[in-house]
Amino acid sequence: MSELIIKNGYVFDPISGIKGDKADIAIKDGKIVDKVSAKAKSIDANGKTVMAGGVDIHTHVVGPKVNLGREMRPEDKLFRGSVRGGIVKQGKRMEMGFSIPSTWKTGYSYARLGYTYVNEAAMPPLMAPHVHEEIRDTPIIDISAMPVFGNNWFCLEYLKNKEIENNAAYIAWLLKATYGVGIKCVNPGGTEAWAWGENCVNIHDPVPYFDITPAEIIKGLIESNEYLGLPHSLHLHGNNLGNPGNYTDTLDTLKLAEGYKAKNKFGRTQVIHNTHLQFHSYKGNSWGTFGSAAKEVMDYVNKADNITIDLGCVTLDETTTMTADGPFEHHLQSLNHLKWANCDVELETGSGIVPFVYDKDSAVVGIQWATGLELGLYAKDMMRVFITTDHPNAGPFTRYPRIIKWLMSNKARLATLDSMKGKAKVIAATDLASMDRELNLYEIAMMTRAGPARALGMSNMYGSLAAGADANIAIYDLDAKKLPTDPELIEEAFSKTAYTIKEGVIVVQGGEIVAEPPNHTVWTKVTMPENTQVMRDIKEKFTKSYTVNLENYAVFDDHVYRPRAIEVDVA
Amino acid sequence: METVTMTLVQHPELYLECYSVTPDLFAGKSLAEIADLPAHEGKIVWKLGDFFKFDGKSGATAAETRIIVNGDVHKMKRFGQQMTAGEILINSAADMYVGCWMRGGKITVKGNADAFLGIAMEGGEITVEGDATNHVGSAYRGDWRGMSGGLIRVKGKAGNDIGTAMTGGTIIIEGDAFIHVLTHADGGTVIIKGDVEGRVGGQMVKGDAYVLGKILYPLPGFKKVATVEKECDGQTYTFDQYIGDLGERKGKKKGEVIYGNIYLKA
Amino acid sequence: MPKVIENVGCPYCGCSCDDVRVTVSDDGKKVLEVENVCAIGTEIFKHGSSDHRIRKPRLRQPDGSMKDITYEEAIEWTAQHLYKAKKPLMYGFGSTNCEGQAAAARVMETAGGMLDNCATICHGPSFLAIFDNGYPTCTLGEVKNRADVIVYWGSNPAHAHPRHMSRYSIFPRGFFTGKGQKKRTVIVVDPRYTDTANVADIHLRVKQGHDYELFDAFRMVVNGHADDLPDVVADVPKEQILEVAEIMANARFGTTFFGMGLTHSDGRNHNIDIAISLTRDLNKVAKWTIMAMRGHYNIAGPGVVWSWTFGFPYCLDLTKKNYAHMNPGETSSVDMAMRDEVDMFINIGTDAGAHFPIPAVQHLKKHPWVTIDPSINMASEISDLHIPVCICGVDVGGVVYRMDNVPIQFRQVIDPQGLLDDETLLNKIADRLDELNAQGA
């Protein structure tokens, strides 16, 4: 019976409504409890900030495209070892890579930031065994992965025929086959079109051959998700990412959620999570007239309480873009001419990878940077707006502390803006320079743990300090009552926790890895009556179109590591 | 300028990584401190003093420090890695990575230099009096930013991958070269005074190759556009000018397409 | 009663076929029959229950003979030598599962040594090209369901990948390719008239070692410089180049499969690099993908596993223990062996004795040499220690990566009868190394 008590910290826990009061947090056997015995080991958090372990709702950390990104970028590892001025080995295994860290570095780095659960944003179902192998080799942090559905032939066919029940049954089957957690949709229809070298540039642009529009796919997936009552909502990366003027497409996409209400037992309120909104909030009709539409987009999001979003903030680093949006990556390589990987996956999805240098002296990059921050600063309900960098697309997750600094400090924002060569253009094309809002620690806690956990339908386990939740806790060396006037110290404090606790085990102390307990694979187990039609369709597709046998497709149970099922019953 | 002379007293069994031998790391240190600097042989971390004896003294800064390496160091790599200033004189052959990622200063190798000579070099000057092998002034694997500045002069011959992904600076090979010169280059100049087997300028966006000998197998992607007089390493010659690689993408400047050039001595 | 096991993966070539039917004896110890598999695959399954299999580690004695020892003794011997060596090299993995490859990564990180796989003598140049230019590819099902133009360049699947053309590329009737071979155009580029060229619509007989020039010519056509083409490039006449470029540019979905003909001729990585450039060009006007014809059923595996572990797919220098370095040419097995740069060698799941140049083998032979392999081969016969292990796909299952990096889950079909699998063996070696390191520290 291991007991631990964290004493006298300033506690920020939006799930239980604690707003920086001094409080003690008691832990027993890996869970948060109301009280512990006098024998409990004590951690003095006096003068420090205590939050639940961070929850990343959208990140690319395990799986085939992440790994091809690692493989194709040896230069991402250049001079990043210890004698080369990088990280010193702290855990059992070495830490390699900057923008696309090795699995070991991923686990250690998230833990150092105080994160304990992350959601891999795109799992190609055919490649699911690969995703699970990487989860096995990622230390400390719990991981779930979302299979992609938006270009899946089964879904395209069922949804074209409005067969929501069959589509839902297929989704339930695939979640089990891949040990996936929820429904991801990337560039609906566009990636299938890309298999012919084409794209779907807006929600009404029909998918070649399948004769369905992205709008129909999105609505169909919302309906399927709510039919099943999954913990998370549809997780959407919409059409026309990254292009000037795309915010009208984004608004059209978000409006598809109108009239839908979340149906689930997990406390989730949204029906669409629109990810990396920054990439979808641009004005203009060319790179010359490029501008931020953060205000227009957030005005809508603020009103629509069945939508959640994450920011996808640009960190101004050299990074590696990677997405199941195959046509976007092809477009990007035609702009920056750097190396380009692509992998179309039979019947299911595709992906692309291109390195990208977010050069702060480029006006377009400066505008992207401002747009991401504006989305956060225009937000009204921080339980629906989450901090991400769409890791590694807009920058590596290791920069979250920098994003937090920018959101908490106008001084920090202005200093960065001042350092940009295209400053005047950035100021003209965005509102950032005139926004003096500074977020507080309670809002940061909403945006980095409580909010994402609720949106994932898991706030009883993660992102919470309420009794019964996993004892995942981050203690930051930050005096909540006397925040430093130097914003760099805020970034510093969020970069290395004083302590990170994972299921009751101290894994980080003084910013260094001190233990690495094994993680969990989080997935959604749907129980519903067998659908013979769907099972017949599955058999047929495997006989005719797949190149892998059906019996070898579903991940074998012994290839899933320390699974933790979220159970859903569909009558 | 002060001089530190290091003389080989013990050969390594395998190969020794002499990344510590740079004016930057020697500057301001006593001889004892210099002898304490690390060097890897496989997983074993030795001290430079386990292999060399040291004389003289170092300067206060890299720019004021000259290093003379005596003895046969052909099994030692990474002399002058990332150096920014000062001088190194190697009085024998050296192994791989002489002057790798070099930013400034001067290195002279009296004998041959093995592969990856001056890779991703940004500035400074390297002279090899013997031969070089492959990857002279090329990029590190996967990097699109190869050699961007400085001068590499090889008085003997060289192998393949000369100036791969080069963006600036000059490489002069006074002897023959094998294949792949300025492949994927986006700038920079390579001069080959001898013959080249082939593949000069393949996938080149821009850059200038000068060949005073022959190109045995020219690429189809280059076409002759003019005969010009050009200065090349201090002498003026008549060259046939070829532009290309016509298969590769091309940038524009003031509405005009910018090609890569091969100047082949007429 | 014999048992039939279905959906078995084949541990031979990069096709990683997963539709094999294996009949095994009642006691689960013998393979009786193998169906749906090529001739070579059949032999591997049959070998699994051969009476001639080595079942105990063997250590060379001072008189040159080999003596049976226990696994424990073999693990101790290997760990001690790894601990002592300055720069040990572990090389192979042509026939191990990913679980074994992950354990190998742990061993060599703990030992502080070099770790490399057979790509180093095979598709290593393809990795170099991917580093420099990316990899616009697809899974094999995309080829089956969509491709109407297939190019085999410097590869001969008729011999090296026996079921490749029938399962994935030329013959199958897929979703959008219901007419199969009839509606596909097949182009073979090879200096020889191979058996694959025999089934092609067009055979370009490129001058050996001059593929790069031919790619450059295709790129000129695609980028609008057809007029500047010489009359003949690499022995291929201009008219034929124009004809094939036209077919490529008009493809609905095209795929180029390339093999050793590109990776093993002058220029190596550059031949693939420019093939990737051509694929990029073609995507401006059509849909094109490219794929390496990886040799073994899981030789893609180590590249995948070590990329997530270290960020590099092969030629790993782990001697610094807290960061990895990779630079083929320096850290590649054959280069190191030729320079006599390593002082211990572990040959695992391959046969360096047969595949490496003789001077390289001579250098390696001066130092302790361990072979971890189910079979007797040239490497095992010159080793100081031979440790037999399970055959992946026969005695043990596991995850393997097909040539298109699709993970395939292989099954165990017979009882290993006391043999250790690679993963277990290697983890025991790593555990022992951890102890030795702790004692040393």
Side-chain angles (χ1 to χ4, degrees), chain A residues 536-555:
Chain A
R536 208 165 40 237
D537 293 343
I538 289 170
K539 282 206 179 72
E540 192 200 329
K541 282 263 192 297
F542 275 88
T543 310
K544 291 190 172 165
S545 303
Y546 272 103
T547 55
V548 173
N549 278 13
L550 174 59
E551 291 74 9
N552 294 330
Y553 176 82
V555 183

Side-chain angles (χ1 to χ4, degrees), chain B residues 13 15 17 40-41 43 77 95 97 140-142 161 180 184 199 202-203 221 223 245-248, chain C residues 82 85-86 111 131-132 209 212 216 219 223 225 228 266 270-271 273 277 320 326-328 330 339 341:
Chain B
E13 183 193 348
Y15 284 72
E17 297 184 54
H40 269 84
E41 183 193 16
K43 66 181 158 194
K77 323 179 191 194
D95 197 48
Y97 297 106
Y140 176 64
R141 304 292 180 189
D161 276 276
H180 287 291
H184 272 303
R199 308 195 190 184
Q203 296 162 283
K223 85 170 167 186
D245 176 348
L246 299 179
E248 186 53 64
Chain C
L82 276 169
K86 289 177 182 168
F131 298 157
D132 287 340
Y212 190 88
D216 193 23
R219 296 194 70 204
N223 287 306
H225 292 281
D228 293 317
D266 279 349
H270 295 291
N271 302 330
D273 190 306
S277 283
K320 305 300 182 294
M326 176 210 70
N327 194 3
E330 178 200 19
R339 286 155 52 91
E341 202 172 342

Side-chain angles (χ1 to χ4, degrees), chain A residues 29-50:
Chain A
D29 297 335
K31 299 276 181 200
I32 293 175
V33 292
D34 290 326
K35 59 171 189 250
V36 283
S37 71
K39 282 179 287 179
K41 184 185 164 188
S42 164
I43 292 177
D44 179 16
N46 191 27
K48 297 186 167 60
T49 292
V50 178

Side-chain angles (χ1 to χ4, degrees), chain A residues 139-191:
Chain A
I140 303 173
I141 55 170
D142 293 346
I143 301 180
S144 56
M146 295 182 291
V148 284
F149 289 95
N151 296 279
N152 181 303
W153 289 4
F154 289 92
C155 296
L156 297 184
E157 288 173 359
Y158 290 137
L159 295 179
K160 173 180 159 186
N161 298 325
K162 314 277 179 219
E163 298 170 19
I164 297 300
E165 199 179 324
N166 287 342
N167 196 51
Y170 169 73
I171 288 168
W173 177 82
L174 197 78
L175 291 178
K176 170 69 177 74
T178 61
Y179 282 83
V181 77
I183 303 176
K184 177 70 184 299
C185 171
V186 179
N187 189 357
T191 301

Side-chain angles (χ1 to χ4, degrees), chain B residues 7-264:
Chain B
T7 307
L8 188 77
V9 293
Q10 173 70 49
H11 280 283
E13 183 193 348
L14 304 173
Y15 284 72
L16 193 71
E17 297 184 54
C18 296
Y19 44 78
S20 298
V21 182
T22 70
D24 300 76
L25 290 172
F26 279 20
K29 289 195 175 71
S30 71
L31 290 184
E33 286 169 327
I34 290 170
D36 252 3
L37 288 169
H40 269 84
E41 183 193 16
K43 66 181 158 194
I44 311 294
V45 190
W46 299 104
K47 293 171 177 163
L48 285 179
D50 294 327
F51 298 89
F52 295 95
K53 78 178 172 61
F54 291 87
D55 298 293
K57 74 186 284 250
S58 65
T61 64
E64 295 162 290
T65 302
R66 175 195 293 128
I67 301 171
I68 297 176
V69 184
N70 288 329
D72 179 3
V73 295
H74 82 277
K75 286 178 85 170
M76 299 191 171
K77 323 179 191 194
R78 295 182 183 270
F79 285 106
Q81 170 171 308
Q82 290 176 296
M83 71 185 261
T84 63
E87 285 180 30
I88 302 178
L89 168 64
I90 300 168
N91 277 314
S92 78
D95 197 48
M96 298 174 175
Y97 297 106
V98 171
C100 53
W101 290 277
M102 182 173 174
R103 292 176 199 143
K106 203 173 151 187
I107 301 178
T108 305
V109 182
K110 288 287 186 186
N112 299 336
D114 212 313
F116 311 111
L117 172 72
I119 70 167
M121 182 174 178
E122 294 172 29
E125 201 181 321
I126 302 176
T127 305
V128 175
E129 301 205 340
D131 298 334
T133 64
N134 306 326
H135 292 272
V136 176
S138 75
Y140 176 64
R141 304 292 180 189
D143 210 329
W144 56 94
R145 296 151 294 202
M147 177 171 170
S148 57
L151 170 68
I152 302 176
R153 182 185 295 273
V154 176
K155 297 201 170 168
K157 60 187 177 4
N160 53 264
D161 276 276
I162 298 163
T164 302
M166 197 171 177
T167 62
T170 303
I171 300 173
I172 302 170
I173 310 291
E174 299 195 354
D176 298 340
F178 183 45
I179 51 171
H180 287 291
V181 177
L182 281 168
T183 306
H184 272 303
D186 204 349
T189 301
V190 175
I191 297 167
I192 312 278
K193 296 198 175 173
D195 298 336
V196 192
E197 170 95 358
R199 308 195 190 184
V200 180
Q203 296 162 283
M204 176 160 77
V205 176
K206 66 174 196 274
D208 297 303
Y210 294 81
V211 179
L212 301 189
K214 291 190 231 13
I215 300 177
L216 195 57
Y217 295 103
L219 285 174
F222 281 82
K223 85 170 167 186
K224 188 176 161 185
V225 291
T227 301
V228 293
E229 294 261 303
K230 293 269 290 184
E231 194 244 274
C232 169
D233 196 22
Q235 296 227 41
T236 304
Y237 306 89
T238 306
F239 290 103
D240 289 331
Q241 182 188 0
Y242 294 78
I243 58 166
D245 176 348
L246 299 179
E248 186 53 64
R249 75 181 166 88
K250 289 285 165 282
K252 277 188 180 174
K253 205 172 171 186
K254 293 181 183 146
E256 214 167 293
V257 180
I258 308 296
Y259 293 95
N261 296 298
I262 299 175
Y263 298 100
L264 185 61

